[in-house]
Amino acid sequence: MAAMLEGKIGIVTGAGQGIGRESALVMAREGARLVVSDINLAMVEETAHLISQAGGTALPLKVDVARGEDLQALVELAVSHFGRLDCAFNNAGISGEGALLADFSEEGYDLLMAVNLKAVWRAMKLEIKQMLKQGGGGAIVNTSSVGGLVGKEHLSVYCATKHAVLGLTKSAALEYGAQGVRVNAVCPGVVRTPMVEAVISGTGTSLDDWSKLQPIGRFGTPSEIGEAVAWLCSDRASLVHGHALVADGGLTCA
Ligand SMILES: NC(=O)c1ccc[n+]([C@@H]2O[C@H](COP(=O)([O-])OP(=O)(O)OC[C@H]3O[C@@H](n4cnc5c(N)ncnc54)[C@H](O)[C@@H]3O)[C@@H](O)[C@H]2O)c1
């Protein structure tokens, strides 16, 4: 059977570690040629190196998703180097302050909105315009969260951004589906990454307790999210559109 993303050109944000890095590795394994980006250049260079060691193709680029010009450079590099853009994984995100809503700072609120929400909107604008221009459509996957479906103590503003990402995803699906651009989101549960380890260390609870939050009794792995993302980007998911794919080991069943 052919690899799922054979011949596709893709971009990934926040690909320096965690879900973004492992998803890029899965996408490349499935045949996509990629521009991998992150605010941390050294880390995303390492991701590109891992991809090329595994036989794939990826160019690294420093991109702060909060800067519109960086996102423009990301789309432009994919098009200038590879000729087109078929799939985009808008993944970069931060968890922000672990504070109760009434104690949350204005600066913390603005930063979360800029990185987790405005950047996704800006990236989608650029990606959709490129996909429409080249014809033949494309697939966009945005990283939401189970925090886009339910609330969580100490993460109110984070949850607000992730709910809003689903609003952008579903509305764009309505607007661009007829022109061949599929737009979906992935909602990870508790995936063991540097972000989650930092969040847990701020709560005073143990990694072991958190690992049991999901009914499967363990953390998710970043590559398990990558499998879902690669599939959503592929033509095998051709009927899946405007969907929030929950990959949470059953966390939101209760
Ligand atoms: N880990 C989880 O359990 C979990 C659950 C639900 C949703 N998510 C979401 O998944 C995404 C990835 O999370 P992760 O756990 O892999 O986090 P992580 O912190 O391990 O990795 C995030 C990556 O994004 C990069 N980044 C941060 N700010 C950036 C910016 N302004 N511009 C470009 N890159 C930036 C970081 O350098 C890092 O490489 C985030 O959107 C997060 O909200 C994670």
Side-chain angles (χ1 to χ4, degrees), residues 14-20 38-40 43 63-66 91-94 115-116 143-146 158 162 188-191 193-196:
Q17 64 181 21
I19 289 170
D38 200 279
I39 197 168
N40 185 317
M43 292 197 322
V63 169
D64 176 353
V65 294
N91 164 75
I94 52 174
V115 175
N116 287 12
T143 304
S144 177
S145 168
V146 293
Y158 175 84
K162 295 299 185 178
V190 191
V191 179
T193 65
M195 176 194 282
V196 150

Side-chain angles (χ1 to χ4, degrees), residues 125-144:
K125 278 170 70 113
L126 294 161
E127 293 154 3
I128 288 168
K129 282 184 181 158
Q130 176 58 34
M131 287 170 179
L132 294 178
K133 187 166 124 194
Q134 71 198 17
I140 295 173
V141 179
N142 298 320
T143 304
S144 177

Side-chain angles (χ1 to χ4, degrees), residues 4-5 21-31 222-223 226-227 230:
M4 274 195 296
L5 298 174
R21 170 179 281 180
E22 294 302 322
S23 298
L25 277 157
V26 176
M27 291 168 76
R29 183 199 74 203
E30 291 298 331
S223 62
E227 296 289 341

